[in-house]
Amino acid sequence: DGGITQSPKYLFRKEGQNVTLSCEQNLNHDAMYWYRQDPGQGLRLIYYSQIVNDFQKGDIAEGYSVSREKKESFPLTVTSAQKNPTAFYLCASSIWGSGELFFGEGSRLTVL
Amino acid sequence: RKEVEQDPGPFNVPEGATVAFNCTYSNSASQSFFWYRQDCRKEPKLLMSVYSSGNEDGRFTAQLNRASQYISLLIRDSKLSDSATYLCVVYNTNAGKSTFGDGTTLTVKP
């Protein structure tokens, strides 16, 4: 079945540790996105990529990094520079220009 | 002012009620519009796209007013299973990214 797979679903880390969240899609979509959601709030864009080997900062990129070496994959690293990393992280993809987003099931990160 | 603003809610309605959600957006360059549904602790899922001509899918009707930069979602004959958070989303093709409202929570009670 086509879709987006995020892993891990739940992750616990100590303060000061970098964490990498995986996002893989087999929908052949060009565009991929990372969002963060805090309780009671909407989704905020961290980074997005329209094409392989290219990505742009979203609204809250500080403390995060990404790579796009393959069309199918868009991993997100939450670095120790991110002040409040505990959140629900959602990866999405879309056909470029369509605006219709397909989401993975999300990764819930808790920093202890 | 936020780029996309929704009714704060929450909306608590009895089964069978009609409920309407409103959303305004500030960026006139926004070109595509959507309503997503998000269940508690789950990922958002597309409910419907929104067109200027209006579109209907069963009990759900979405409307777009570009002049007023306003989007609406009407749910008729509410079911218990409609309980969720509804997210208004605008997409800017030039920027290549979507902006989400904070969502409106609906609880349908027996």
Side-chain angles (χ1 to χ4, degrees):
Chain A
D1 281 4
I4 299 182
T5 302
Q6 287 188 241
S7 64
K9 198 166 184 179
Y10 298 96
L11 187 59
F12 296 87
R13 279 294 182 267
K14 292 181 180 177
E15 258 187 54
Q17 288 182 328
N18 289 359
V19 168
T20 297
L21 307 179
S22 168
C23 178
E24 303 277 332
Q25 55 100 357
N26 60 5
L27 299 168
N28 200 32
H29 287 167
D30 288 310
M32 296 188 74
Y33 308 82
W34 274 105
Y35 290 91
R36 168 184 173 137
Q37 188 175 34
D38 293 285
Q41 297 189 31
L43 280 65
R44 292 184 290 165
L45 184 63
I46 304 172
Y47 269 98
Y48 62 111
S49 169
Q50 303 167 9
I51 197 169
V52 173
N53 292 324
D54 189 38
F55 49 82
Q56 288 78 40
K57 291 182 180 180
D59 302 315
I60 55 164
E62 185 175 350
Y64 299 97
S65 66
V66 293
S67 62
R68 187 88 187 275
E69 297 176 2
K70 298 187 299 181
K71 186 176 185 177
E72 302 79 18
S73 179
F74 192 40
L76 173 74
T77 297
V78 185
T79 75
S80 56
Q82 167 50 232
K83 299 286 185 238
N84 186 17
T86 294
F88 187 39
Y89 290 89
L90 287 155
C91 179
S93 70
S94 73
I95 296 170
W96 175 241
S98 82
E100 181 180 342
L101 297 170
F102 294 78
F103 284 91
E105 292 186 337
S107 293
R108 203 166 291 275
L109 171 64
T110 302
V111 174
L112 306 170
Chain B
R1 184 189 170 194
K2 290 187 176 180
E3 193 172 328
V4 179
E5 295 204 61
Q6 293 186 238
D7 286 340
F11 284 64
N12 297 300
V13 303
E15 269 188 294
T18 296
V19 60
F21 302 141
N22 300 317
C23 173
T24 57
Y25 62 95
S26 59
N27 187 347
S28 58
S30 299
Q31 284 139 334
S32 300
F33 307 88
F34 306 89
W35 283 101
Y36 281 74
R37 170 195 169 124
Q38 186 175 26
D39 292 295
C40 190
R41 299 178 70 82
K42 299 283 192 180
E43 76 276 19
K45 293 187 178 176
L46 180 67
L47 180 66
M48 55 199 311
S49 303
V50 189
Y51 307 112
S52 298
S53 55
N55 51 310
E56 188 174 311
D57 183 3
R59 298 181 293 108
F60 299 83
T61 300
Q63 202 80 38
L64 165 66
N65 184 321
R66 283 188 186 271
S68 302
Q69 297 184 194
Y70 171 90
I71 304 157
S72 65
L73 176 68
L74 184 75
I75 305 176
R76 291 180 299 277
D77 189 23
S78 299
K79 311 290 185 194
L80 296 176
S81 57
D82 293 334
S83 297
T85 297
Y86 291 84
L87 299 166
C88 173
V89 184
V90 301
Y91 177 72
N92 184 321
T93 304
N94 294 337
K97 59 179 184 174
S98 300
T99 303
F100 284 72
D102 284 344
T104 302
T105 299
L106 171 66
T107 301
V108 181
K109 300 187 174 178

